[in-house]
Amino acid sequence: MTVTDVLVCALGAVSLGAAIRVVTTNQIVRAGLWLVVALGALAGVYLVLTAELLAWVQVLIYVGAVVVLMLFAVMLTRAPIGRSDDLDRPRLPAILVGGGAGLGLAAVLADAYRWSYIGLSGVEPGNAEALGREVFTGWALPFEVLSVLLLAALVGAIAISRPEVGERREES
Amino acid sequence: MHPVIPYVLAALLFGTGVYGVTVRRNAVLLLMSVELMLGAVNLVLVTADVTLKQHVGQAFALFVIVIAAAEVGLGLAIVLQLFRLRRSIVTDEVGAEREPVAVSEDA
């Protein structure tokens, strides 16, 4: 166990525990706040694994934008602030499906990598320079397509959430 | 670094997300579980990058984050529109009965 392993284990335990709270808590607002903890700890894992830019992008976009958007949606759908007991379906099939998927994937990956060791000394850190070179030399076209996708998603979100959409269908 | 640790962590996070998607009835909580699954996928990409000593996976993880942001924006717009039409975002009650007329009466 190196220092990297210990850090990944610790941050991973925080992330996994918070993730489990996200899917088990019966207060909607707390699920959003636990999501902040889970994704923040995941950003820490990225940082330990030399993905600097990705860690900060994760903090900015997920913790900054996505979770705020979620909390706004919770407010706008007038979700109950306190406890609510009707959030979950029957648990047993979900435990079978989720546990099966998680443990199955874990077994496959653990069997594939065993206890192999990889030195981090020769790894170039994934800072903005390295990632910029990677994106704009090899993946410029997907980058541009993604920008169009983002624009389309924004326009689509505005078009969907116009208040008159439901009424106009009534007239025709 | 032993790459098996982050890989197993990613698998367990993905399983947690699958559990959340299966068990939750509230559409906003469902989107949160989807975010957990996408985070697990990003962790796999980053770990593969470290083991192979290159940066392709991190570029793809960046793309996945952008797609996730677009997905959340669009998904929440749909959820809000659903709430405006049905006064409820419980996914059990969506689409089963197919009666938009009854919904637009009280709109």
Side-chain angles (χ1 to χ4, degrees), chain A residues 118-139:
Chain A
I118 287 182
L120 280 183
S121 55
V123 178
E124 192 190 355
N127 50 18
E129 187 191 347
L131 270 194
R133 209 185 308 124
E134 184 67 43
V135 169
F136 289 108
T137 53
W139 304 98

Side-chain angles (χ1 to χ4, degrees), chain A residues 26 82-88 91, chain B residues 25:
Chain A
N26 53 9
R83 295 176 176 282
S84 37
D85 297 325
D86 58 341
L87 291 178
D88 287 354
R91 291 223 172 83
Chain B
R25 302 169 77 227

Side-chain angles (χ1 to χ4, degrees), chain A residues 143-154:
Chain A
F143 179 81
E144 298 296 334
V145 172
L146 264 186
S147 63
V148 175
L149 174 96
L150 204 53
L151 180 68
L154 283 179

Side-chain angles (χ1 to χ4, degrees), chain B residues 3-89:
Chain B
V4 72
I5 299 173
Y7 275 132
V8 168
L9 171 66
L12 294 179
L13 269 179
F14 190 85
T16 315
V18 171
Y19 170 78
V21 167
T22 323
V23 84
R24 290 300 203 186
R25 302 169 77 227
N26 186 302
V28 177
L29 290 174
L30 215 107
L31 281 174
M32 288 183 193
S33 308
V34 172
E35 295 306 309
L36 285 178
M37 291 163 70
L38 287 169
V41 170
N42 281 343
L43 184 56
V44 168
L45 287 171
V46 169
T47 314
D49 249 12
V50 173
T51 54
L52 300 176
K53 296 192 181 6
Q54 48 182 334
H55 293 296
V56 186
Q58 288 175 39
F60 266 85
L62 218 53
F63 292 165
V64 170
I65 288 181
V66 172
I67 292 175
E71 170 245 328
V72 164
L74 209 52
L76 288 180
I78 293 173
V79 167
L80 287 185
Q81 191 67 18
L82 186 70
F83 178 76
R84 197 177 287 144
L85 290 174
R86 300 270 174 110
R87 296 283 131 199
S88 153
I89 54 170

